[in-house]
Amino acid sequence: MASNPGSDAAMSTQKSMLSGSPQTKKFSLTEQEVFYMNCRAAYLTIFKSSLENIISKDQLYLALQHAGRNPSQKTINKYWTPQTDKLNFDDFCIILSKEKPTSKAELLKSFKQLDANDDGSILHSDLHKYLTRRGEKMTQEEINAVINLTDVNANGKFDYIKFCKLYMTTSEQCLKITLERLEADRKLRRQQFGSHIERSPERDSSPVPKPSPRIIRKNDQETFSSKGDTSHSLLSASRKFKTSVSFTIAMSANSSRESTLTEPSLKDWQCAQSKGCFFLEEDGEVVSHQYKMHIAQRSVLYLTIKPLNLSQIEGKRSPWSSVDTTLYILKENEDQAEPQLMCFTELRNREVFGWTGELGPGIYWLIPSTTGCRLKKEIKPVTEEAQLVYRDETGELFLTSEFRSTLSEIFEVIDLDGNGLISLEEYNFFELRTSGEKCDEDAWAVCRENFDTKKNELTRQGFMDLHLMEANDREGDPLDLWVTLHLMGYNKALQLTEACPFVINIYAERCKPRIKAIHMEACSGQLEKAICKSVLDKSDAKVMDGFENIIVHTCNYDSWITSIIENKSDYKVIIHINNELSTNCVNNRGLTVFAVEVAPRSTMVCQHVMPLNERQEWIYSCVYSLIS
C-alpha cells in the first residue's frame, strides 16, 4: 500500500484534524494510519457504516471524489468490470492506494499545453476543439459546465490558473468536512456511552485492508493515471463542479447611512423587559434564552433587542456592544404543529435592532439570534490568570475585588427581570448553564437560610457569599469557580469574550405585554427554520444552471447579508462556497472558502456576512458551485 496517497496539502489537513482529537493526542499517527483514516472518512460520507458495500459505479465514483480523487470513466471501468457486483471497504482502500490525487503542478502543466499566448488563459473556442477531439471526449453539457463557472471564465476565456486553485481548494475542503464529521460522530458516541473512550479505528488490530476477490488482479501492476491529460482533468472537474452561480453586492459604510429604525412616540405605552445572554459553546455553537410573550388584545407593538452594557464606567461601552442581536417573533397556533413566523427585528439604529407593527392577541415565541460574525471563540490565549480569592493575616478567605466585580456582572446578566434580585427561576437558568442541574425548592430553602435574601429572592450580597462558601468548601482551590466563569463566557483575565448579554424591550400601545424566559437552547432548529423563512420571503434567488432543484437565496438586510441553500431534490448535495473576491467582509464560518452539505428536500443557512469595519464600504462577492 502506498504510504502517501494524497497531496501534501491533503495530508496536512488530515494531520491537523487528527491532532485535535482527545484520544489521538497521546500518540502520533503513522502515514499509513492517516491514510486509513482518510479512507474511512470518505467512505462514511457515502455510507452509514464501513460494513456496507459499494453496489454501483456511481457510488464508487462519488466515494472516490470524497477521498480527493477524480477518476476517468476508463479508470472506473478498470475497477468495476461486468463481473463486479459489489466492492467492500477494503477494496476501496486498495483503489485509493493506487489512485493518486492530481497535484496543482500537474494540472497547470497540462493546461499550459493549450495556452498559446502564455497568459494563463485559454480561448473557449480552442478549449472546445480540444475537449471534443482528444483524450476522453466531453459532451457539450460537460463543456458548458466548465465554461459556465463564473469565477474562472470571462470575455470568452478560461482562466486555468484560477481554476486549478479552485479545484485543489475544493478537494481539501471536502476532505476536511469528511474528517470533521468522523470526529463529530466519535465525540457523540463518547457522550452517549459516558466516559468510555472508543478505540480509534486507526489502531485496529488489522488496519491494512485485505482485498476481496472481486477486484481484477491482472491490473495490479498497472498505474491508472491520466497525468498530463487536460481533457481528463476538465472532465473530472465538470463532474465535480457541475455548475455555479455568483452574487455581488456593494454596500456603503454604515456611518454614511441614516438609521432604518425609528422609535414611535411611546407616551402612555406599556412596557415589558427581560434580559438574556448568548453563550458560545466549545464547538462554536451559540445557545441563548428563549421566551414566550403574551399579548391580551390586538395592539401596535415596538420590540427592540440590543447588547446589555455592563460597564461600571459611565459612557464606556462594553466590548461586546458590536455583536449583532436579532429577535424572531413566532406565533403559536393550535391548528398548526409549528409556530408561524410573524416578523423579526431587521431594522437598526446603532446597536439597537427593532420592529414596529401590529400583532393580534395570543402567545408568541421570542427567539433571539446573532449571526456569529462577531461573537467568536477567543483566538489569543490569556497567559496570566486573575486571582479569585486570597487569605488575610488570620487565614480567613476572601474574594478579590476583581472577582467580586465579575460576580456583580454575572448577577446583572442572570437577573432577567432587572429587579435587583435573583429568583429561583432565574437562578436555575444560571445553574443549568454552569452545572447542568436545577436547584429544587428544598435546596432553595437552605440557600435562603444561609444567604441574604429579600422577598424569597437572592440579593447581590447573598450571591457573593454563595461563591465565597464554594471557595471555602474547596479550601481556597478556585478550580470550580473557574469552571463557572468559563461557562459564563469569561477568560482567565476575567474578560467577557465568549458571551453577549442582551436586553429585550416590548412596548404595546393598548395592553400590558408579558414576557417570560422559558428555555435556554441552541440557536438552531426552530430558529434555523425562521431564518430560512425570512430569507425566502424577500431574497434574490438564483437557480443552479441545469439543476433547477438547487437554489441559492441571498438577502441583504442593510447591515448584514444572509444566504441560504434550498435543495428540492431527493439527493444530498455538496456546495462549494468561495468568498475570496469579497472585501472588508467577515462571515460566521470564519473561512473564505468552504463547502457545505445540504440534505435532500431541505433548506439550510449557508452563511451570514457582515462588514469587518462598519465605517468603510464593503463588497460581498461570492461564488456557489455545485460539487458532484
Side-chain angles (χ1 to χ4, degrees):
M1 182 182 296
S3 61
N4 184 19
S7 64
D8 291 341
M11 183 64 74
S12 175
T13 300
Q14 296 170 56
K15 288 183 176 178
S16 65
M17 286 294 301
L18 292 170
S19 63
S21 173
Q23 67 265 35
T24 57
K25 286 180 179 178
K26 297 179 181 179
F27 49 79
S28 59
L29 300 178
T30 67
E31 289 188 353
Q32 185 179 20
E33 290 169 326
V34 171
F35 165 67
Y36 183 75
M37 173 66 96
N38 179 18
C39 296
R40 190 166 184 266
Y43 205 81
L44 293 181
T45 303
I46 311 300
F47 304 103
K48 293 182 179 179
S49 166
S50 56
L51 298 178
E52 291 188 39
N53 292 317
I54 299 172
I55 60 172
S56 70
K57 284 185 178 182
D58 289 341
Q59 284 186 345
L60 175 60
Y61 187 88
L62 193 58
L64 289 174
Q65 279 202 326
H66 278 280
R69 275 60 163 180
N70 286 286
S72 66
Q73 193 59 49
K74 179 181 177 182
T75 302
I76 292 292
N77 290 338
K78 289 285 186 180
Y79 295 112
W80 193 278
T81 70
Q83 291 76 37
T84 307
D85 59 348
K86 58 186 176 180
L87 299 172
N88 62 26
F89 174 67
D90 292 335
D91 298 329
F92 179 67
C93 293
I94 291 293
I95 294 172
L96 284 186
S97 71
K98 297 177 180 179
E99 296 300 321
K100 311 299 188 296
T102 304
S103 70
K104 185 176 180 180
E106 290 166 345
L107 276 177
L108 287 171
K109 183 178 179 181
S110 63
F111 282 121
K112 275 186 173 292
Q113 300 172 19
L114 304 179
D115 186 1
N117 298 321
D118 197 25
D119 61 356
S121 64
I122 304 168
L123 288 173
H124 286 172
S125 56
D126 293 340
L127 193 62
H128 187 277
K129 289 178 183 177
Y130 184 86
L131 297 178
T132 55
R133 298 177 185 177
R134 305 234 348 235
E136 188 175 348
K137 298 178 179 61
M138 295 174 63
T139 65
Q140 187 60 49
E141 181 183 358
E142 290 169 334
I143 295 173
N144 289 341
V146 174
I147 64 177
N148 285 335
L149 289 168
T150 56
D151 53 343
V152 297
N153 289 279
N155 302 320
K157 290 184 177 181
F158 172 76
D159 189 328
Y160 64 83
I161 294 179
K162 285 185 179 179
F163 171 82
C164 291
K165 183 178 181 180
L166 176 66
Y167 182 93
M168 300 306 297
T169 302
T170 303
S171 294
E172 293 165 18
Q173 288 296 326
C174 285
L175 174 59
K176 182 179 180 182
I177 285 176
T178 57
L179 290 170
E180 284 177 342
R181 183 185 296 113
L182 190 64
E183 179 61 21
D185 289 345
R186 185 177 298 112
K187 286 181 179 178
L188 180 61
R189 285 194 292 273
R190 287 202 302 271
Q191 292 170 2
Q192 290 173 339
F193 295 104
S195 60
H196 171 70
I197 301 300
E198 177 193 42
R199 187 163 61 97
S200 175
E202 306 87 339
R203 293 285 172 178
D204 285 346
S205 57
S206 302
V208 180
K210 294 181 172 63
S212 74
R214 289 181 294 276
I215 291 185
I216 305 301
R217 300 287 170 239
K218 65 180 181 180
N219 294 316
D220 278 357
Q221 302 303 316
E222 183 178 353
T223 302
F224 305 116
S225 66
S226 301
K227 296 175 183 177
D229 183 350
T230 305
S231 62
H232 166 61
S233 300
L234 281 171
L235 182 61
S236 298
S238 72
R239 290 167 181 162
K240 174 173 282 190
F241 307 109
K242 291 289 188 182
T243 184
S244 65
V245 297
S246 62
F247 294 83
T248 301
I249 303 173
M251 304 288 290
S252 61
N254 281 344
S255 58
S256 66
R257 290 184 297 205
E258 294 184 2
S259 168
T260 58
L261 175 64
T262 302
E263 181 179 300
S265 175
L266 300 177
K267 185 179 180 180
D268 298 328
W269 287 37
Q270 299 187 66
C271 178
Q273 184 187 88
S274 183
K275 289 181 281 188
C277 193
F278 295 111
F279 296 104
L280 270 179
E281 299 285 53
E282 284 301 315
D283 59 1
E285 188 176 37
V286 178
V287 300
S288 79
H289 297 80
Q290 296 184 10
Y291 309 80
K292 277 191 176 182
M293 174 180 70
H294 182 261
I295 302 295
Q297 67 182 89
R298 179 170 292 277
S299 176
V300 176
L301 272 72
Y302 175 58
L303 292 91
T304 65
I305 180 172
K306 66 176 182 178
L308 176 65
N309 187 15
L310 295 177
S311 175
Q312 298 179 8
I313 303 175
E314 187 174 352
K316 183 179 179 180
R317 299 176 70 201
S318 299
W320 55 88
S321 295
S322 62
V323 173
D324 56 285
T325 57
T326 315
L327 193 64
Y328 287 80
I329 297 93
L330 296 82
K331 185 175 184 180
E332 280 191 1
N333 294 298
E334 293 182 359
D335 55 343
Q336 294 181 351
E338 295 184 348
Q340 176 187 2
L341 175 66
M342 303 299 293
C343 54
F344 73 103
T345 56
E346 62 177 296
L347 302 180
R348 180 184 180 189
N349 181 7
R350 297 186 179 179
E351 74 272 14
V352 181
F353 285 81
W355 175 85
T356 302
E358 190 175 68
L359 292 178
I363 297 174
Y364 296 82
W365 279 97
L366 304 184
I367 306 180
S369 170
T370 181
T371 63
C373 294
R374 299 200 173 115
L375 182 60
K376 295 179 178 291
K377 298 296 291 182
E378 192 172 25
I379 298 175
K380 295 181 180 179
V382 177
T383 54
E384 293 187 11
E385 182 176 303
Q387 186 177 356
L388 303 185
V389 297
Y390 70 95
R391 295 187 184 276
D392 65 4
E393 298 83 358
T394 65
E396 187 176 356
L397 199 67
F398 293 90
L399 306 181
T400 64
S401 60
E402 293 85 1
F403 186 34
R404 290 180 64 85
S405 178
T406 299
L407 287 175
S408 184
E409 288 184 354
I410 293 174
F411 186 91
E412 287 293 331
V413 173
I414 63 178
D415 176 19
L416 300 181
D417 60 12
N419 70 343
L421 301 168
I422 302 296
S423 67
L424 173 58
E425 204 168 32
E426 291 170 332
Y427 183 76
N428 273 333
F429 278 112
F430 170 70
E431 278 292 296
L432 285 171
R433 176 63 193 165
T434 57
S435 70
E437 299 178 352
K438 279 189 174 184
C439 175
D440 58 24
E441 290 287 351
D442 292 339
W444 188 246
V446 173
C447 183
R448 293 201 315 270
E449 292 174 4
N450 291 277
F451 305 107
D452 187 41
T453 59
K454 287 183 181 179
K455 300 177 182 179
N456 199 33
E457 296 185 332
L458 192 64
T459 66
R460 192 181 302 263
Q461 184 59 51
F463 188 67
M464 300 283 182
D465 293 341
L466 178 65
H467 285 83
L468 178 60
M469 183 199 72
E470 184 177 346
N472 273 299
D473 287 346
R474 299 293 183 271
E475 297 181 348
D477 185 350
L479 181 61
D480 287 350
L481 297 176
W482 276 118
V483 171
T484 296
L485 289 168
H486 290 323
L487 288 168
M488 291 299 293
Y490 287 85
N491 64 15
K492 289 290 186 179
L494 296 182
Q495 299 166 329
L496 187 58
T497 56
E498 296 186 356
C500 173
F502 57 79
V503 58
I504 297 170
N505 284 290
I506 306 167
Y507 299 87
E509 185 180 25
R510 298 180 180 176
C511 61
K512 173 71 174 179
R514 287 184 291 162
I515 179 174
K516 183 178 182 180
I518 303 297
H519 302 298
M520 184 184 290
E521 294 182 352
C523 294
S524 56
Q526 193 63 54
L527 175 61
E528 173 109 351
K529 294 177 182 177
I531 293 174
C532 289
K533 178 67 167 60
S534 67
V535 172
L536 289 172
D537 286 345
K538 56 181 296 185
S539 69
D540 176 15
K542 292 187 179 181
V543 178
M544 290 284 189
D545 188 27
F547 296 85
E548 66 278 0
N549 287 328
I550 312 300
I551 308 166
V552 180
H553 301 262
T554 298
C555 195
N556 172 16
Y557 290 117
D558 188 56
S559 55
W560 82 94
I561 291 171
T562 296
S563 76
I564 68 172
I565 300 174
E566 185 177 11
N567 178 15
K568 294 182 178 179
S569 74
D570 294 323
Y571 307 94
K572 68 178 179 182
V573 297
I574 296 177
I575 307 294
H576 176 270
I577 295 93
N578 189 327
N579 293 296
E580 290 181 311
L581 296 180
S582 295
T583 58
N584 188 30
C585 288
V586 59
N587 66 34
N588 62 306
R589 294 182 177 271
L591 297 169
T592 302
V593 180
F594 58 94
V596 297
E597 184 177 285
V598 191
R601 299 202 171 275
S602 70
T603 304
M604 68 165 290
V605 176
C606 177
Q607 65 175 338
H608 302 288
V609 182
M610 298 188 76
L612 189 62
N613 184 341
E614 289 192 318
R615 296 181 178 274
Q616 298 177 1
E617 294 182 345
W618 53 294
I619 298 175
Y620 167 76
S621 183
C622 183
V623 179
Y624 297 80
S625 301
L626 175 62
I627 302 175
S628 174

